[in-house]
Amino acid sequence: MNHYGDELTLRLSGIGDTRSLDDDAALTRFMRELVDRIGMTVLAGPLVGTEAGPPERAGKSAVVILAESHAAIHTYPHLREIFVDIFSCKPFREADVLDEFHRLVGDYEITERTLTRRGEEWPRDLTAARRLWSSQRVPG
């Protein structure tokens, strides 16, 4: 790999079955199964939080800190939507991610999708990385 890692962001709309989108236990299980399926190592989490408010803003957020980086989702049951962000320095298959969401909610439509190669200028040499970090650091 000639870059640091890949970041997959998705917006899933028209969610077929929204019941699990407002269920802490279901989302905790899902996040564990998702990162296991894509071969990542959990360092912390899953952590699930609730966003209260009007229906267009109410939902759940779930995040897992990974040895390889992170995975996060934001659910909006009333809007039948999920936002997804998976960033990893270890390669993963997008098809596995999509399959896990099908298992969670059934049918959905991908209304936004971005796969970004992150860190293409990331130095492989630790000495060079330290120099780069030091040169860009704002004195505090």
Side-chain angles (χ1 to χ4, degrees), residues 22 49-61 75-79:
D22 204 24
T50 300
E51 174 69 29
E56 67 275 6
R57 293 286 184 194
K60 300 279 184 180
S61 294
T75 72
Y76 297 94
H78 299 290
L79 299 176

Side-chain angles (χ1 to χ4, degrees), residues 32-71:
R32 286 187 184 127
E33 291 167 358
L34 171 66
V35 298
D36 184 56
R37 169 90 182 254
I38 62 176
M40 304 299 167
T41 308
V42 175
L43 292 179
L47 175 65
V48 177
T50 300
E51 174 69 29
E56 67 275 6
R57 293 286 184 194
K60 300 279 184 180
S61 294
V63 65
V64 177
I65 306 301
L66 304 169
E68 300 82 6
S69 195
H70 72 269

Side-chain angles (χ1 to χ4, degrees), residues 14-30 59-60 75-82 101-107:
I15 301 301
D17 181 357
T18 62
R19 289 174 294 179
S20 59
L21 300 187
D22 204 24
D23 180 331
D24 289 21
L27 291 174
T28 297
R29 247 185 338 275
F30 170 75
K60 300 279 184 180
T75 72
Y76 297 94
H78 299 290
L79 299 176
R80 307 180 78 77
E81 301 232 342
I82 303 172
F101 278 98
H102 277 296
R103 282 185 351 102
L104 179 69
V105 299
D107 293 333

